[in-house]
Amino acid sequence: MVKQVAIIGGGIIGATDAFYLSFLQGNDNIQVTLFDDDTGQATKAASGIISPWLSKRRNKRWYALAKRGAELYPSLVSDAQLSNQAYQQTGTIVTRKNHDDLLALYQEAKIKEQHTTAMGRVELLDAKEVKRRMPLLTDAPEGVFVSGGARIDGGHFVSELLERAAANNLDVKNERVSLTANGAINTTAGPKHFDIVIIATGARMHESLQPLGLNVKVRPQKGQLIDLTVKMPHKWRNMPVMMPEGSSDVIPFNGGKLVIGATHENDEGFDLTPQPAARRQLLNNAKVFIKTLTDAQVSDMRVGTRAYTEDFAPFFGAVPTLPNFLIGGGLGSSGLTTGPMIGYLLAQAVFEREIDHWQDYTKPVSQYID
Ligand SMILES: Cc1cc2nc3c(=O)[nH]c(=O)nc-3n(C[C@H](O)[C@H](O)[C@H](O)COP(=O)(O)OP(=O)(O)OC[C@H]3O[C@@H](n4cnc5c(N)ncnc54)[C@H](O)[C@@H]3O)c2cc1C
């Protein structure tokens, strides 16, 4: 019998999950319906950097998940035949304000490089070399280059994944849905039961699970970034991305788009209004490295809502006492890196494949639910 699977939420977890359910062996026994209301989606608002290896975070489970996530990307991109616009391995330049700190970072990176294939090559670059590789910078800092780092455009990424899956066994419904107390999904066509329900509603996770009498401890955080239009000659193609310490990331895309982001506002709830002060702050951060930028070059401002748990760690797995309900969330500010791996593991769970080592990546889901 064909298994009916519902996914609520079409961000990076939901979209990756849908792709793998359409792609992995066993897909012909599965029909997937994905519900998404496209409101405040963090994934679409984000253009991001995939480069977890030099993060200052010391949470071991998070690092194991982020590292596996970064490793997964090249095969996911090739399996789903995603465009360079969605994902490209351009390399990452990480900076430190203090030269000695940069040297320490470089030593740490060289040690990790020996046993982390996905990192690629690690190099210490002086300011002149950074400027050569990122010619749009007027004031280049020194930095550590990691060739395996990548940039991603969240919106392109999820829409391309969903398009691939829709060519097979996925039906996308652009609507807001809710659960009923007995586990059905209230849709515009009436309540529907599914064999398995995957809940990937990001910052809305708390309200999604309330009808089941569950209180998920996830809070929203507003994030904003700006897109600028910049003249980039053809020979500037494939520039690396830069992660300056304590400032905004500088993410150039081929064709003249430059993204600067992102902000982190903890007290704005689900507000999605672009704020002039955030726009000014992001532009000023970028002007430290590219003096010539002007406000007139800002072509768009994107706003999304991230989801945070109390311990800032993502979580995923089956809902306690409801094994046919799977959830994944609390991705915070590194969800583009960890999200695809969660989508992949949740898909494996739908195929009833034994998943080793979940506990290496996440605490039990029960720790995040009252
Ligand atoms: C500005 C910004 C910059 C970022 N930069 C980076 C970065 O550089 N690197 C990185 O790794 N991460 C980054 N992140 C974080 C990352 O984008 C998020 O952690 C990740 O995308 C969250 O994915 P998700 O699938 O859990 O949730 P979302 O992407 O938020 O998706 C949830 C979806 O569920 C839908 N939904 C909710 N409730 C319902 C319902 N009842 N019915 C139907 N649909 C529903 C929503 O509309 C939404 O589309 C950034 C985030 C922001 C906002």
Side-chain angles (χ1 to χ4, degrees), residues 209-276:
L209 285 177
Q210 258 182 340
L212 299 176
L214 300 170
N215 174 26
V216 182
K217 293 174 271 181
V218 165
R219 68 173 168 84
Q221 183 196 67
K222 182 173 175 177
Q224 308 180 61
L225 54 70
I226 52 173
D227 291 337
L228 296 103
T229 307
V230 177
K231 272 206 180 113
M232 292 190 201
H234 191 73
K235 60 182 180 196
W236 289 11
R237 285 174 69 77
N238 309 333
M239 267 184 278
V241 291
M242 187 169 73
M243 302 169 79
E245 184 180 29
S247 187
S248 307
D249 296 334
V250 176
I251 312 170
F253 283 80
N254 294 339
K257 186 166 100 166
L258 174 68
V259 178
I260 308 294
T263 65
H264 299 255
E265 286 96 15
N266 284 316
D267 306 317
E268 309 263 335
F270 291 94
D271 177 59
L272 292 173
T273 322
Q275 288 163 320

Side-chain angles (χ1 to χ4, degrees), residues 8-14 35-43 45-50 175-177 200-202 204 208 223-225 249 262 304-306 331-337:
I8 311 179
I12 198 145
I13 294 184
F35 300 96
D36 188 89
D37 72 345
D38 196 8
T39 305
Q41 186 185 106
T43 307
S47 288
I49 297 181
I50 309 300
E175 60 178 283
R176 182 167 195 76
V177 294
T201 48
R204 298 277 176 187
S208 302
Q224 308 180 61
L225 54 70
D249 296 334
T305 313
R306 303 183 190 91
L331 269 49
S333 58
S334 56
L336 297 179
T337 315

Side-chain angles (χ1 to χ4, degrees), residues 21-244:
L21 290 173
S22 77
F23 177 78
L24 293 175
Q25 202 185 355
N27 59 14
D28 41 355
N29 286 322
I30 288 194
Q31 178 59 40
V32 184
T33 309
L34 182 144
F35 300 96
D36 188 89
D37 72 345
D38 196 8
T39 305
Q41 186 185 106
T43 307
K44 239 186 214 173
S47 288
I49 297 181
I50 309 300
S51 186
W53 309 287
L54 304 185
S55 166
K56 290 180 178 172
R57 290 184 69 169
R58 289 292 168 258
N59 179 323
K60 283 194 179 143
R61 286 194 189 84
W62 172 83
Y63 184 67
L65 184 64
K67 188 166 164 252
R68 283 292 306 276
E71 276 164 20
L72 180 72
Y73 260 102
S75 65
L76 169 58
V77 167
S78 142
D79 290 341
Q81 296 174 13
L82 303 183
S83 69
N84 272 353
Q85 192 64 21
Y87 170 91
Q88 195 179 2
Q89 228 164 6
T90 52
T92 323
I93 294 172
V94 184
T95 80
R96 288 288 178 268
K97 289 173 186 155
N98 175 302
H99 179 70
D100 290 342
D101 290 349
L102 189 74
L103 290 182
L105 183 75
Y106 175 62
Q107 304 301 344
E108 183 196 334
K110 283 309 268 185
I111 293 167
K112 281 193 174 158
E113 180 192 25
Q114 291 166 24
H115 51 87
T116 315
T117 318
M119 271 178 95
R121 197 175 70 253
V122 170
E123 295 171 67
L124 183 63
L125 308 182
D126 62 18
K128 209 169 144 203
E129 182 58 21
V130 171
K131 162 86 182 154
R132 195 185 69 74
R133 296 187 194 195
M134 294 189 76
L136 90 164
L137 303 182
T138 55
D139 296 73
E142 57 182 353
V144 171
F145 176 76
V146 182
S147 70
R151 62 155 159 69
I152 167 173
D153 179 302
H156 274 275
F157 194 82
V158 294
S159 68
E160 290 183 25
L161 279 178
L162 293 179
E163 209 177 288
R164 303 296 176 273
N168 191 7
N169 60 357
L170 172 70
D171 188 13
V172 178
K173 306 271 188 202
N174 296 115
E175 60 178 283
R176 182 167 195 76
V177 294
S178 60
L179 292 171
T180 66
N182 69 356
I185 297 183
N186 272 322
T187 73
T188 47
K192 289 201 168 159
H193 278 278
F194 291 83
D195 298 310
I196 295 184
V197 179
I198 295 165
I199 301 159
T201 48
R204 298 277 176 187
M205 183 74 83
H206 175 75
E207 67 183 58
S208 302
L209 285 177
Q210 258 182 340
L212 299 176
L214 300 170
N215 174 26
V216 182
K217 293 174 271 181
V218 165
R219 68 173 168 84
Q221 183 196 67
K222 182 173 175 177
Q224 308 180 61
L225 54 70
I226 52 173
D227 291 337
L228 296 103
T229 307
V230 177
K231 272 206 180 113
M232 292 190 201
H234 191 73
K235 60 182 180 196
W236 289 11
R237 285 174 69 77
N238 309 333
M239 267 184 278
V241 291
M242 187 169 73
M243 302 169 79

Side-chain angles (χ1 to χ4, degrees), residues 226-230 279 283 287 290-299:
I226 52 173
D227 291 337
L228 296 103
T229 307
V230 177
R279 177 179 172 135
L283 186 62
K287 281 169 92 166
I290 314 170
K291 265 205 195 86
T292 47
L293 293 178
T294 65
D295 187 70
Q297 288 172 287
V298 179
S299 54

